[in-house]
Amino acid sequence: MAGNSNYNPTNKVEKWFDERLPLLRFSKEHLMDFPSPRNINYWWTFGAVLAIMLIVQIVTGIILAMHYTPNIAMAFDSVEHIRRDVNYGRIIQGTHAVGASMFFFAVYVHMFRGLYYGSYKAPREILWILGVVIFLLMMATAFMGYVLPWGQMSFWGATVITNLFSAIPIIGTPILEFLRGGFAVDNPTLNRFFSLHYLLPFVIAAVVALHIWALHVPGNGNPTGVEVKSSADTLPFHPYFTMKDLFVVVVFFIPFAWFVFFAPDILGHADNYIEANPFVTPAHIVPEWYLLPFYAMLRAIDFDVFFISAKLGGVIIMFGSIIILMVLPWLDGSKVRSGSFRPMFKPFYWLFVLNFLLLMYLGGQGAEGIYVILSKVATAYYFGYFLVILPILARIETPKPLPSSISQAVLDKNK
Amino acid sequence: MNIKKNIFAVFAVITMAISAAPALSAGGGGKHAELQKWSFGGVFGTYDTNQLQRGFQVFYEVCSSCHGAKLISFRNFAEAGGPEFSKDQVKALAAEYTILDAELEEGERTATPADRWPSPFETELEAREANNGAFPPDFSVLAKARNLPKKFPMNFYDMATAYQEGGADYIYNLLVSYEDEPPHGVEIGDGQSYNAFFGGGLSMMSPLMEELVEYEDTTIPLTVEQYAKDVSAFMYWMADPHLVQRKTIGLKVLIFLSILALLMYLVKRKIWAGVKH
Ligand code: HEM
C-alpha cells in the first residue's frame, strides 16, 4: 500500500540515501505506519510468531550444521556429539527439534484462523495460496530434517515416504530412485536430504516475503470480515501491533522453553535414539505428530478404485488434501468472510477442527479394526467439508447482518 | 434437517474412539510398569551423585562385561552433574584398560581419561557368539532409546509434568521382572530367560541378584531392586549427561520469560489504553 508513508528524512545523509535507495522509507511504510484494522484479535498474532519461529529454526539450524556430519556412518554419533560435547549443544539441538513442533503448532493455528475468518476469500486468494505453498515446503523441510539424525525412525520414515512415489505409474520408479539417489535409502539419500534441508528454509523465507507483500496489498482482514473503509478503522502497525505481537511471542516462548529445557524428547519417538538399521524394521513406523493427519488419510485408502491401486489412491488423497486448500477460495462461494456471521457454517467448521484432531489421533494408531473405519469416515468429512458442505452452505445459508464498518463494530462492542 | 443430529452422532463416535484407548501402555508388551520416583525427574530434578556412583559400580562390575558405552569418555565421570568421581579416580580407572592403537609400535597403550569406554567385544559377531546370538546393546543412549509412551490423553499429562524418565523406568522394570519359569502356554527361545515386563524371552539372563555388588555405604540395601534403580539412574545420566545444567538454565529462562511477558503485557495495555478495539 503505497502512500501511507509519513517518512521525512531528518538529515542530509538520510535524504541522500533515500533518493538512491528508499530502504528506510520502505521499512517505515511497511513495518511502522502500515494501517491495520483496529479490531484484529489475538488469532492475528500468529503470523508474527511464525516469522520469529522461522528465524529461530534458521539460526539454530545453521549452528547445528557446523557440527553435523551427513554421512551414514557418522550422522547418528555426530548428533550425539552435538548433544554431549558442543557447548550448550543439547539446548541448541533441543531448540531446533522442539522448534519444528512449535512452528507447526503455530502454522495450524494460523491456518485454522484463516479457515474460520474466511481469510482466503477475495482479495486474498494469492496470499492464501502462497501460504499453502509455504505449508508444503514446511512439511518437506521437516520430513527431511527428521531423516538427518539417522535413527531408526529417520531411516524407516524416509523409506516409507519416498516409497510412496513408486505408486505413480511409469515415472514413479525413476522418481523414487532420483529422490533416494539409488535403489534404497542410503548415504546418497542422506546427503541430498541434508543439502535440501539447508536450502528449503531460505526458499520458505523468500515465499514468506511474497506472502507479506501479498498481505500488504489488500491489508489485513479482521474478525468482522468487513473491509477497511476509512482511516477510523485502522491503527498504525507500530506501536500497536508490534507490541501486541511481541507480547504473544514472549508468551509463546514459555511452553517452547518448557519443552526445550525439561522435556526435549517428549515430542519425538524413542526409536530415533537407535541408529538406523536397514535390517530391523521398527514395530510401528509413525511420522512426527504434525504430519499424522495426512498420514491417516494416506492409510485410509486401502482399496482399489478401477485402475487406481490402493497405494496410488492413498498418495492422491494425501497430496489432494493439501492441494484442495489451493482451490478453496473458489469452493467457498459465500460472500461473507467471517464465520462469526455464518450460523450454519459454524458447527461444520468446529466439526472440521475436531475431525482434523481425530485424524491426527488416528495417524498414530495401528492400521487395524475400528481405526481404519474411523480414518475413512474422517477422510470423507475432510474432503466433504471443502467439496460439498462449503459450496452448498454458500447457497442456502442466510448470514447474520454485518456491521456497516469496523469502527461501527468496535463502537457496538464497547457500548 | 437433521444436520444437528448427524453432528451429534459423529461427535459421539469421536468421543468413544478417544476414550476407548487404554490410558497406559506397558513398554515391552508385558505386565505394567511400576513407575519409580527419580531424583532427576521434574523441573528441579538433579542427579543424586551417590546413586550415580553406585550405579556406575553395578555397571562396572556386572553389565560392562557384555554392554559397551562407546560415546562415554572416562573424563565424563569427573564432570559436574554426573557421578563426579575425582580426577585421580578417573585416571586410575582409565589405567585399568588398554586401547588398541595400530599407530604405536607396541600396537596398544594404556587408556587415559580422554579415551572412550572400551567395548567388551571387538565386533558385533563376537558379541553375538558370546550371547546366544543376541547383541547386548550399547548403553550410551539406551535409556533414551527405550520409553514408556502413554496413549492419548495421558500423553498430555506427561507433557504438562515433563515426564521424560520413561527409559529409566523401562530399564528398572525390565531388571526386576525376571521369573524362573514362563507362565503356562508362553514359549521362549533356547537359552532365553522369561521376563514378565518384556512379555517374553530375553537372551540376557537376569544380570542381578541379591548381594551381588558390595556397596561402600552399608546403609544401602543390597537388593535387586536397589541395584536396578541405581544402574537405571546411571544409564539415564549416560544418555542425558547435561540434564542438570539444562534444567538449571531452564528454570532461569522460565522465570525470565514470565517476567518479560508480564512487562510486555503491561506495556501493551498502556499503549492500547484509550484506543477502542
Ligand atoms: C512460515 C510460515 C508463515 C509465516 C511466517 C506467515 C506470516 C504471516 C503474517 C506475518 C501475516 C500477517 C499477520 C497475521 O494475519 O497473522 C500473515 C497473514 C496471513 N497468512 Fe500467513 N504466514 C505463514 C504461513 C501461512 C500459511 C501456511 C497459510 C495458509 C495456508 C497462511 C495464510 C495467511 C493468510 C490467509 C493471511 C491473511 C490473514 C488476514 O489478514 O486475514 N500463512 N501470514
Side-chain angles (χ1 to χ4, degrees):
Chain A
M1 261 189 181
N4 312 310
S5 175
N6 307 318
Y7 179 67
N8 287 313
T10 47
N11 58 43
K12 277 202 179 120
V13 181
E14 266 188 44
K15 192 163 170 352
W16 181 89
F17 192 75
D18 188 49
E19 280 158 6
R20 284 152 184 83
L21 178 67
L23 188 67
L24 290 174
R25 177 179 299 276
F26 179 86
S27 310
K28 183 149 194 306
E29 235 173 75
H30 287 279
L31 301 176
M32 295 178 73
D33 301 337
F34 190 76
S36 311
R38 61 201 305 130
N39 63 335
I40 53 181
N41 57 29
Y42 276 103
W43 299 116
W44 264 262
T45 58
F46 277 80
V49 171
L50 284 165
I52 300 291
M53 284 314 296
L54 182 60
I55 295 169
V56 168
Q57 289 307 88
I58 289 179
V59 171
T60 51
I62 288 174
I63 300 172
L64 291 178
M66 292 173 187
H67 304 279
Y68 170 79
T69 316
N71 177 293
I72 56 168
M74 289 180 272
F76 185 86
D77 285 353
S78 76
V79 173
E80 274 304 317
H81 157 72
I82 294 171
R83 291 194 178 114
R84 286 160 193 273
D85 306 328
V86 173
N87 288 337
Y88 302 105
R90 180 74 247 237
I91 294 170
I92 298 167
Q93 184 272 335
T95 305
H96 196 74
V98 174
S101 282
M102 298 304 287
F103 202 167
F104 272 92
F105 174 77
V107 92
Y108 282 133
V109 172
H110 192 65
M111 291 170 75
F112 278 100
R113 181 282 316 261
L115 289 175
Y116 182 80
Y117 289 110
S119 308
Y120 46 83
K121 291 182 190 178
R124 295 185 183 79
E125 302 94 323
I126 300 283
L127 169 60
W128 170 262
I129 291 170
L130 287 168
V132 181
V133 171
I134 293 172
F135 183 55
L136 272 171
L137 288 169
M138 277 175 67
M139 292 207 287
T141 310
F143 161 65
M144 287 190 277
Y146 196 53
V147 176
L148 302 185
W150 208 243
Q152 274 290 68
M153 276 301 157
S154 302
F155 178 87
W156 289 98
T159 302
V160 169
I161 300 298
T162 52
N163 194 36
L164 295 178
F165 287 88
S166 70
I168 304 169
I170 308 169
I171 53 166
T173 307
I175 293 182
L176 173 71
E177 285 166 14
F178 178 69
L179 283 174
R180 290 180 177 172
F183 299 116
V185 173
D186 207 331
N187 202 45
T189 326
L190 182 61
N191 281 317
R192 62 194 56 201
F193 278 21
F194 177 54
S195 175
L196 292 173
H197 183 71
Y198 206 133
L199 170 69
L200 286 189
F202 295 95
V203 178
I204 294 178
V207 184
V208 167
L210 293 178
H211 187 71
I212 294 179
W213 187 3
L215 171 76
H216 279 205
V217 176
N220 279 104
N222 69 82
T224 64
V226 178
E227 291 293 289
V228 170
K229 289 187 175 137
S230 71
S231 58
D233 291 345
T234 63
L235 292 169
F237 187 65
H238 181 73
Y240 296 101
F241 296 100
T242 41
M243 203 52 232
K244 192 173 174 183
D245 288 349
L246 217 56
F247 164 56
V248 172
V249 166
V250 174
V251 171
F252 187 81
F253 274 13
I254 291 176
F256 187 6
W258 174 265
F259 284 121
V260 169
F261 291 99
F262 301 113
D265 296 311
I266 209 164
L267 299 167
H269 199 292
D271 275 8
N272 233 24
Y273 270 98
I274 305 172
E275 193 167 356
N277 184 346
F279 303 107
V280 179
T281 319
H284 294 285
I285 303 176
V286 279
E288 296 268 80
W289 69 267
Y290 41 79
L291 300 179
L292 289 175
F294 304 98
Y295 191 58
M297 288 193 259
L298 168 80
R299 291 190 309 178
I301 310 304
D302 55 1
F303 47 88
D304 300 345
V305 182
F306 304 120
F307 57 90
I308 300 175
S309 67
K311 192 171 161 194
L312 180 58
V315 174
I316 292 173
I317 287 295
M318 184 176 73
F319 283 105
S321 66
I322 296 159
I323 301 303
I324 200 168
L325 295 174
M326 296 218 182
V327 292
L328 171 61
W330 295 276
L331 290 172
D332 179 1
S334 170
K335 290 280 171 283
V336 176
R337 292 193 188 85
S338 170
S340 305
F341 298 92
R342 302 184 57 190
M344 285 176 83
F345 164 88
K346 259 195 222 165
F348 288 106
Y349 171 82
W350 288 111
L351 188 59
F352 181 76
V353 175
L354 279 180
N355 186 65
F356 191 75
L357 294 175
L358 174 67
L359 281 167
M360 193 176 279
Y361 171 76
L362 293 170
Q365 306 306 315
E368 70 232 344
I370 178 85
Y371 300 131
V372 181
I373 302 162
L374 280 173
S375 298
K376 287 179 186 158
V377 175
T379 305
Y381 185 74
Y382 182 94
F383 282 90
Y385 177 76
F386 294 117
L387 292 174
V388 182
I389 296 172
L390 288 184
I392 291 182
L393 284 187
R395 294 209 170 78
I396 63 171
E397 185 181 44
T398 322
K400 288 198 226 157
L402 294 174
S404 59
S405 71
I406 294 173
S407 30
Q408 190 56 48
V410 170
L411 284 180
D412 291 347
K413 198 176 92 183
N414 284 282
K415 241 188 313 213
Chain B
M1 286 186 78
N2 50 10
I3 290 173
K4 277 236 168 85
K5 225 166 147 193
N6 288 342
I7 294 171
F8 277 115
V10 178
F11 199 82
V13 172
I14 293 171
T15 340
M16 260 156 46
I18 290 175
S19 51
L24 245 174
S25 76
K31 76 170 189 204
H32 281 302
E34 276 171 40
L35 302 191
Q36 301 299 300
K37 202 167 157 24
W38 301 104
S39 67
F40 45 91
V43 176
F44 302 101
T46 153
Y47 290 116
D48 171 350
T49 314
N50 293 325
Q51 182 172 51
L52 293 191
Q53 294 200 354
R54 291 196 303 271
F56 168 77
Q57 200 187 338
V58 176
F59 166 66
Y60 171 76
E61 290 181 22
V62 185
C63 326
S64 70
S65 57
C66 298
H67 294 275
K70 64 188 167 110
L71 298 176
I72 307 294
S73 302
F74 289 103
R75 66 177 165 78
N76 295 141
F77 295 130
E79 279 165 9
E84 300 186 2
F85 287 112
S86 73
K87 288 231 159 66
D88 290 332
Q89 280 173 309
V90 169
K91 220 180 253 169
L93 174 70
E96 292 174 18
Y97 294 84
T98 42
I99 302 285
L100 299 179
D101 189 341
E103 308 241 308
L104 295 178
E105 224 173 287
E106 306 83 46
E108 58 176 44
R109 61 176 170 77
T110 312
T112 69
D115 282 307
R116 297 289 179 93
W117 186 270
S119 291
F121 302 101
E122 281 194 21
T123 61
E124 183 175 333
L125 200 70
E126 204 181 293
R128 284 187 191 277
E129 267 169 12
N131 285 289
N132 193 30
F135 181 65
D138 188 272
F139 271 6
S140 314
V141 290
L142 193 62
K144 284 281 180 185
R146 297 292 184 275
N147 199 6
L148 297 171
K150 304 224 177 79
K151 291 261 190 187
F152 177 83
M154 285 309 285
N155 53 351
F156 280 91
Y157 179 76
D158 282 355
M159 285 180 216
T161 53
Y163 171 73
Q164 277 250 102
E165 298 78 44
D169 277 320
Y170 178 101
I171 295 167
Y172 170 84
N173 279 279
L174 187 82
L175 292 173
V176 300
S177 303
Y178 278 96
E179 283 169 17
D180 293 339
E181 291 288 328
H184 200 68
V186 176
E187 291 279 328
I188 60 170
D190 262 351
Q192 289 197 323
S193 313
Y194 178 74
N195 188 299
F197 171 72
F198 194 74
L202 267 178
S203 289
M204 166 172 76
M205 22 172 234
S206 174
L208 298 171
M209 54 187 179
E210 248 167 70
E211 297 183 10
L212 181 66
V213 177
E214 200 74 48
Y215 284 151
E216 213 171 282
D217 181 348
T218 48
T219 59
I220 308 287
L222 305 180
T223 58
V224 171
E225 283 77 14
Q226 185 65 38
Y227 294 142
K229 215 174 159 189
D230 293 344
V231 78
S232 303
F234 174 71
M235 287 172 70
Y236 199 85
W237 167 77
M238 286 206 275
D240 197 354
H242 301 309
L243 172 141
V244 176
Q245 180 207 35
R246 202 179 67 232
K247 289 193 175 179
T248 320
I249 300 175
L251 209 55
K252 292 181 195 153
V253 170
L254 275 192
I255 293 171
F256 170 78
L257 285 174
S258 309
I259 296 174
L260 187 64
L262 181 70
L263 292 176
M264 289 285 170
Y265 177 70
L266 293 175
V267 176
K268 189 242 153 202
R269 209 173 61 164
K270 183 109 205 282
I271 289 175
W272 281 78
V275 178
K276 290 217 161 45
H277 60 282

